[in-house]
């Protein structure tokens, strides 16, 4: 016992020290935890030698990690997922696994011979992408709510479902028959049904009674996690599978947000221990292990680009919206390491293959973080060569209008550069108050959903990147009379309002330019750049909120709400 406590102390101490270094060097924390584990483990300094300690730490961390992954799976979002996300995820997963089996068997890895399934585990591991890395980078870039961001997150959720299905049949790989697979699926069905029924009809009443006792909420969530884990063990599944199902069942639970908030700190502690323990199992790599790791990393990147870009492009999402999710997803998931570790524990995969997968995870974690932060520049660099080899973008598919403007016609009198919610609301307002004005408006944007919807409504829309000066030149921006920049800096990709105003003013000295400011200090800079008027959205929001306070004080809040409901019912916005 004392040895275990000492080993945990070393694990947390070194994870924290190396975590600080990773934070200041802007590297993934998981990478720091793996290095910490390697350093103090039997293949490093040897300060932690007890395999029993490593096993206990790893299993606890794995249970909590899968429980939290389950809590974050939103079943409602999966049900509502559009066909774009479903086809993209299906193409990526099925295509990735098929290519993976062909590739890894082709380089000599086992696919069942002698009870080893190295090729199978690697193809599944390479099909999954890192939720931790992707969400962190997209959040920092404020791209979670963009079309490529939503597609990326939708694919991640469906990857988690795929991993759950694999974990369901994983214990039966040694005797993989139709009957065995069906029995495994039935067992999972019984486990899921039991968990969902209890979480739907029993747990809410219990948690309602203890809602004012935070410590009991936390203890109840943990008891639920371990209970379902034990039920899974008795059904000949695994505790890890049970903890995942326990988390998924609570994700539909009325107190799910409260439970998640309370378990998060504990989760972070045990996830840290899991990755440190995983680092302890990584031996000093031989040249063959390093070579296999580089092959795994290269295959992951290439296969992700092929299997993600292709279905999105075939669904006419355009080059940008097809390439960005492929770049975002081009790494190996922390869930992949979970899958690999279950394979090691079951004796299905060799230690060398497991080590190579861990090294590939590290390599891709560093590279993908770097690439994702510069994805906009990379996309702009790739689009030109792709067009030259005959891969058309949406702008090349537009019918000629007057034979000018590069096949899409020149802009009209009023131009909206970039299209997000403010522009969507503006068009709806114009449609309501002065519909004839719509014929004088052009929109330039690279969102394929916006492009198709506006075209279907008969509006003039040009597909293009407004941060690219060539797009503005070819669109004929120099002949516009009023140019509106309604997208705030926080959502612009590859530019900001000040830079756009300068570009537009250089191309059109006489147009009236309306720009948008995020911050009050930006207003004077935008006027200096050449804007004629600058909108500050927070001022109009404040005016509306003040009118709500006045209505509440006058006892007229219900009437104001009725008025707002009537306005919302009349609106037909492109971006709801």
């Amino acid at each position: 016992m004392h040895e275990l406590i000492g080993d945990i102390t070393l694990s947390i101490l070194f994870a924290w020290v190396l975590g600080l270094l990773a934070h200041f060097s802007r590297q993934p924390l998981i990478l720091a935890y793996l290095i910490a584990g390697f350093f103090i483990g039997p293949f490093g300094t040897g300060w932690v030698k007890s395999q029993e300690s490593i096993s206990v730490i790893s299993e606890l961390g794995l249970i909590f990690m899968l429980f939290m992954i389950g809590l974050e799976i939103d079943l409602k979002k999966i049900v509502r997922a559009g066909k774009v996300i479903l086809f993209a995820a299906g193409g990526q997963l099925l295509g990735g696994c098929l290519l993976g089996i062909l590739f890894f068997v082709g380089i000599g890895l086992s696919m069942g011979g002698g009870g080893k399934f190295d090729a199978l585990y690697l193809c599944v591991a390479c099909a999954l992408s890192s939720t931790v890395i992707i969400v962190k980078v997209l959040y920092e870039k404020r791209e979670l709510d963009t079309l490529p961001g939503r597609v990326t997150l939708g694919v991640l959720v469906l990857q988690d479902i795929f991993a759950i299905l694999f974990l369901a049949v994983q214990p039966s790989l040694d005797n993989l028959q139709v009957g065995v697979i069906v029995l495994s699926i039935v067992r999972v069905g019984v486990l899921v049904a039991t968990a969902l029924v209890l979480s739907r009809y029993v747990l809410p009443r219990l948690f309602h009674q203890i809602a004012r006792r935070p410590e009991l909420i936390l203890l109840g969530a943990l008891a639920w996690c371990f209970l379902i884990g034990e039920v899974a063990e008795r059904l000949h599944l695994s505790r890890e599978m049970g903890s995942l199902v326990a988390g998924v069942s609570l994700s539909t639970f009325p107190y799910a947000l409260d439970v998640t908030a309370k378990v998060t700190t504990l989760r972070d502690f045990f996830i840290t221990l899991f990755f440190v323990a995983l680092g302890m199992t990584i031996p000093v790599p031989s040249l063959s292990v390093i070579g296999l790791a580089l092959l795994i990393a290269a295959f992951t990147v290439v296969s992700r680009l092929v299997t993600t870009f292709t279905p999105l492009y075939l669904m006419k999402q355009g080059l940008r919206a097809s390439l960005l999710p492929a770049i975002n997803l081009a790494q190996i998931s922390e869930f992949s390491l979970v899958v690999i570790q279950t394979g090691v524990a079951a004796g299905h995969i060799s230690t060398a293959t497991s080590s190579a997968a861990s090294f590939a995870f590290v390599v891709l974690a560093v590279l993908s973080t770097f690439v994702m932060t510069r994805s906009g520049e990379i996309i702009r660099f790739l689009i030109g060569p792709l067009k030259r080899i005959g891969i058309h973008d949406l702008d090349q598919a537009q019918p000629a209008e007057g034979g000018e403007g590069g096949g899409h016609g020149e802009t009209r009198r009023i131009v909206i550069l970039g299209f997000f919610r403010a522009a969507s609301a503006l068009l709806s307002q114009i449609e309501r108050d002065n519909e004839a004005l719509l014929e004088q408006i052009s929109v330039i944007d690279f969102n394929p959903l916006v492009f198709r919807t506006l075209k279907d409504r008969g509006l003039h829309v040009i597909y293009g990147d407004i941060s690219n000066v060539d797009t503005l030149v070819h669109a004929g921006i120099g002949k516009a009379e009023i140019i509106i920049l309604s997208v705030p800096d926080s959502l612009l990709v590859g530019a900001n309002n000040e830079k756009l105003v300068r570009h537009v003013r250089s191309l059109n000295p006489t147009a009236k330019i309306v720009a948008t400011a995020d911050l009050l200090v930006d207003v004077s800079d935008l006027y200096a750049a050449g804007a004629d008027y600058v909108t500050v959205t927070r001022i109009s929001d404040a005016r509306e909120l003040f009118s709500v306070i006045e209505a509440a004080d006058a006892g007229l809040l219900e009437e104001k709400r009725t008025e707002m409901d009537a306005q919302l019912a009349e609106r037909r916005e492109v971006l709801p």
Side-chain angles (χ1 to χ4, degrees):
M1 174 59 75
H2 293 298
E3 187 176 352
L4 175 61
I5 293 173
D7 291 344
I8 290 177
T9 301
L10 277 173
S11 299
I12 295 300
L13 178 62
F14 277 85
W16 180 64
V17 171
L18 288 174
L20 288 175
L21 292 176
H23 170 73
F24 291 121
S25 60
R26 300 182 64 83
Q27 296 301 320
L29 289 178
I30 294 173
L31 174 61
Y33 302 153
L34 288 171
I35 294 174
F38 174 79
F39 183 77
I40 64 175
F43 300 103
T45 59
W47 292 338
V48 176
K49 296 179 181 177
S50 170
Q51 291 300 319
E52 185 178 353
S53 292
I54 295 171
S55 177
V56 171
I57 293 171
S58 178
E59 186 170 3
L60 278 174
L62 191 51
I63 286 171
F64 277 100
M65 181 177 178
L66 289 172
F67 180 56
M68 290 304 296
I69 287 174
L71 274 174
E72 292 165 3
I73 293 176
D74 192 333
L75 295 176
K76 293 178 182 177
K77 287 185 178 179
I78 296 172
V79 172
R80 294 197 303 264
K83 66 176 184 178
V84 170
I85 293 174
L86 290 174
F87 277 101
Q92 184 263 309
L93 288 168
L94 295 176
C97 287
L98 179 60
L99 291 176
I101 290 172
L102 293 174
F103 177 78
F104 291 119
V105 170
I107 63 173
L109 295 180
S110 176
M111 189 61 187
K116 295 294 183 181
F117 298 89
D118 297 62
L120 178 62
Y121 275 89
L122 283 181
C123 85
V124 172
C126 291
L128 307 177
S129 303
S130 173
T131 302
V132 172
I133 294 171
I134 291 170
V135 171
K136 178 178 181 293
V137 176
L138 291 185
Y139 175 78
E140 290 175 351
K141 294 179 67 183
R142 302 193 183 191
E143 290 183 11
L144 284 171
D145 199 32
T146 62
L147 176 64
R150 290 196 301 273
V151 170
T152 301
L153 294 180
V155 172
L156 284 173
V157 170
L158 292 169
Q159 284 181 353
D160 288 342
I161 300 298
F162 171 76
I164 292 171
L165 295 175
F166 178 76
L167 288 178
V169 300
Q170 179 263 341
S172 307
L173 285 178
D174 288 325
N175 185 27
L176 202 58
Q177 301 171 1
V178 174
V180 174
I181 295 174
V182 170
L183 182 59
S184 297
I185 294 174
V186 169
R187 287 170 177 164
V188 173
V190 170
L191 181 67
V192 171
T194 302
L196 288 177
V197 168
L198 290 175
S199 67
R200 178 72 177 85
Y201 297 105
V202 178
L203 290 186
R205 296 180 183 180
L206 288 174
F207 274 73
H208 179 72
Q209 298 297 321
I210 61 173
R212 296 180 182 275
R213 302 294 297 273
E215 65 273 21
L216 287 180
I217 291 280
L218 174 60
L219 191 59
L222 297 180
W224 176 251
C225 171
F226 282 99
L227 172 65
I228 300 301
E230 197 60 33
V231 171
E233 185 75 13
R234 298 299 172 89
L235 288 172
H236 302 286
L237 295 169
S238 66
R239 288 189 177 90
E240 291 80 5
M241 177 75 190
S243 64
L244 187 63
V245 171
V248 173
S249 65
L250 283 190
S251 69
T252 61
F253 182 59
Y255 296 92
L257 187 62
D258 191 44
V259 169
T260 304
K262 288 179 171 60
V263 178
T264 295
T265 303
L266 196 60
R267 171 207 64 176
D268 292 341
F269 174 75
F270 280 102
I271 284 179
T272 299
L273 288 180
F274 168 72
F275 284 111
V276 172
L278 182 60
M280 294 178 194
T281 65
I282 300 175
V284 177
S286 62
L287 288 177
S288 61
V289 168
I290 293 174
L292 180 57
L294 294 177
L295 281 175
I296 293 170
F299 169 78
T300 301
V301 172
V302 173
S303 66
R304 197 75 87 248
L305 288 171
V306 171
T307 59
T308 306
F309 171 81
T310 303
L312 288 171
Y313 182 75
L314 292 176
M315 285 185 288
K316 296 182 169 46
Q317 296 303 299
L319 291 178
R320 186 179 183 279
S322 300
L323 283 168
L324 272 176
I327 289 175
N328 292 341
L329 294 163
Q331 71 286 122
I332 293 176
S333 172
E334 54 280 353
F335 208 160
S336 300
L337 300 183
V338 172
V339 171
I340 292 292
Q341 283 304 106
T342 60
V344 172
H348 292 162
I349 183 172
S350 68
T351 305
T353 302
S354 169
S355 300
S358 299
F359 279 109
F361 170 85
V362 170
V363 170
L364 290 176
V366 176
L367 289 179
S368 67
T369 302
F370 175 82
V371 169
M372 284 178 68
T373 56
R374 292 160 180 78
S375 59
E377 304 163 31
I378 293 170
I379 293 296
R380 283 190 287 275
F381 174 78
L382 290 175
I383 284 178
L386 287 173
K387 286 182 176 180
R388 284 194 289 274
I389 64 174
I391 300 178
H392 299 302
D393 208 347
L394 293 182
D395 58 342
Q396 294 168 286
Q398 299 178 71
E401 184 177 314
E404 297 180 17
H408 46 56
E410 292 186 349
T411 57
R412 297 178 181 177
R413 188 174 74 85
I414 303 171
V415 178
I416 300 175
L417 289 183
F419 195 94
F420 202 58
R421 294 195 179 105
S424 176
L426 173 62
L427 285 189
S428 180
Q429 193 69 35
I430 292 172
E431 186 177 43
R432 182 171 175 266
D433 296 343
N434 185 6
E435 192 170 2
L437 190 60
L438 293 176
E439 297 179 1
Q440 304 175 42
I441 294 175
S442 292
V443 174
I444 304 177
D445 194 75
F446 52 35
N447 185 326
L449 174 62
V450 167
F451 175 73
R452 285 195 301 274
T453 305
L454 291 179
K455 273 182 70 70
D456 291 343
R457 293 189 183 184
L459 289 157
H460 185 243
V461 56
I462 297 171
Y463 181 87
D465 182 356
I466 62 172
S467 67
N468 190 325
V469 179
D470 289 338
T471 297
L472 304 180
V473 171
H474 291 308
I477 200 79
K479 296 182 180 179
E481 296 177 19
I482 301 174
I483 300 170
I484 299 172
L485 288 73
S486 64
V487 181
D489 286 349
S490 59
L491 296 172
L492 284 171
V493 178
N496 56 41
N497 272 273
E498 183 183 351
K499 181 180 177 181
L500 284 174
V501 168
R502 293 188 187 281
H503 285 330
V504 171
R505 181 56 74 204
S506 67
L507 296 172
N508 191 329
T510 61
K512 301 301 181 186
I513 301 175
V514 180
T516 298
D518 285 348
L519 306 174
L520 297 180
V521 293
D522 294 337
V523 174
S524 57
D525 293 336
L526 288 168
Y527 281 127
D532 294 285
Y533 187 83
V534 178
T535 64
V536 185
T537 311
R538 65 207 276 182
I539 293 176
S540 56
D541 288 344
R543 203 176 292 126
E544 173 66 16
L545 289 171
F546 182 70
S547 72
V548 172
I549 293 173
E550 288 184 317
D553 287 342
L556 300 173
L557 194 58
E558 190 64 34
E559 288 82 351
K560 188 166 183 64
R561 176 180 170 177
T562 301
E563 180 186 338
M564 175 60 74
D565 288 344
Q567 290 183 38
L568 293 174
E570 293 174 1
R571 301 186 79 84
R572 195 168 62 101
E573 292 203 21
V574 175
L575 299 175

